[in-house]
Structure formats: structure tokens, C-alpha cells
Amino acid sequence: MTLAIGQPVPDFTAAATSDSTITLSDLKGRQVVIYFYPKASTPGCTTEGGDFRDRKEAFDAANTVILGVSRDGIRAQENFKAKQSFNFELISDKDEAVCRLFDVIKLKKLYGKEHLGIERSTFLIDTEGKLAQEWRGVKVKGHAEEVLAAAQTLYAGS
């Protein structure tokens, strides 16, 4: 199943930091940014998370929840969140259920070896739970600003 712009995002429930469980349908009425990153505490993922963290107030003003997702275990996610002072929750998706829902597990090459990993991707879901916008194969620099601008435009139009 491929997610399409304007289509409802299937509901999911996943373990997250702060001893919480995130259920997408519980967030109806708010916009949701879900960004997928390859691995906690790596340079690009730290920069990306920091960029979202530094814009959280602006996302809040646009009625938008930020969620980060990787295949790291909950302890690695908690440590990453605490060390970087992230002011939003991180989802631990060890079984890749959320990753597969958004089709972000891709064949990647590292040092000439192929492996399956998360393609850095971000999704913006509207207040009705429908996919409003997606970014795949993301480059970190300037990405959080672009997502924020999209969230603000969507909010202004709602």
C-alpha cells in the first residue's frame, strides 16, 4: 500500500519516549509532522532533530505536533532525546511497522555493502488525518524550515 497525498493515513500505535504510546488517531484536530531518520545520535540525525527542536514554538503556533521515528530501541531514543534536549517525542520502531506503513525502508549502500535502512523522509498530516505533503530522500540542511513553512501554510488555509 502506498500513501497518497489527500488520502487518510492508516492509524498506528507505537511506543515513544517519556513512557508514552503514540496513537495517530488521538492526534486528530492537530497537524502532525512525522520525520524518519536512520539512527539516533548520528551527526545528520542530531542536526535534523535540533532543527525541529529549535522551531518547536513555531510548529506549536501552527497547531502541529512533531514526532521523530527510527528503528532504535526506546532506551537509545530516550538517551538521544535527553542529550539533545528534544522537546518532542521520538518513536521506537524496532519492528519497522511504522516505517513500512510510510514505505521508508529502502536498499542503501554503505562502504560498497547493501543493506536495508531508513530513507530520511518527512510527512505532514493534516487535522483530518490525511497526508498533506511528503518529502523523501531528505537533505538535512534547510529541511525543518521547509516543513515548518508547509505546516504554517496548511494551518493558515484550514
Side-chain angles (χ1 to χ4, degrees), residues 94-108:
K94 277 182 98 64
D95 66 0
E96 299 178 357
V98 182
C99 289
R100 294 200 186 282
L101 182 69
F102 286 89
D103 190 30
V104 298
I105 301 290
K106 302 290 180 195
L107 196 58
K108 299 168 87 175

Side-chain angles (χ1 to χ4, degrees), residues 3-157:
L3 292 176
I5 303 293
Q7 294 300 305
V9 175
D11 200 18
F12 66 83
T13 299
T17 49
S18 304
D19 242 352
S20 64
T21 301
I22 304 282
T23 299
L24 185 60
S25 57
D26 291 349
L27 300 172
K28 262 212 172 96
R30 306 213 39 209
Q31 297 177 167
V32 182
V33 164
I34 300 180
Y35 79 96
F36 291 84
Y37 57 95
K39 190 154 180 51
S41 303
T42 56
C45 300
T46 299
T47 299
E48 184 178 26
D51 288 347
F52 279 110
R53 174 198 62 217
D54 297 347
R55 288 162 184 78
K56 179 157 187 313
E57 249 175 63
F59 276 105
D60 287 347
N63 190 32
T64 305
V65 177
I66 303 166
L67 297 171
V69 183
S70 77
R71 299 184 300 181
D72 294 289
I74 202 72
R75 208 147 109 239
Q77 295 289 49
E78 289 286 6
N79 291 342
F80 187 36
K81 181 183 173 195
K83 189 171 179 197
Q84 301 304 326
S85 306
F86 290 158
N87 45 11
F88 52 87
E89 302 308 332
L90 301 177
I91 290 174
S92 169
D93 192 32
K94 277 182 98 64
D95 66 0
E96 299 178 357
V98 182
C99 289
R100 294 200 186 282
L101 182 69
F102 286 89
D103 190 30
V104 298
I105 301 290
K106 302 290 180 195
L107 196 58
K108 299 168 87 175
K109 267 197 165 117
L110 185 65
Y111 307 119
K113 286 191 168 76
E114 289 190 335
H115 70 286
L116 286 174
I118 291 179
E119 175 185 52
R120 193 181 303 279
S121 306
T122 303
F123 301 86
L124 175 59
I125 301 167
D126 71 13
T127 55
E128 301 291 306
K130 293 181 181 145
L131 185 62
Q133 208 164 334
E134 65 178 15
W135 295 262
R136 293 183 180 271
V138 166
K139 300 285 176 261
V140 172
K141 191 169 172 33
H143 179 61
E145 292 96 328
E146 193 182 328
V147 175
L148 176 59
Q152 289 168 328
T153 300
L154 185 63
Y155 180 63

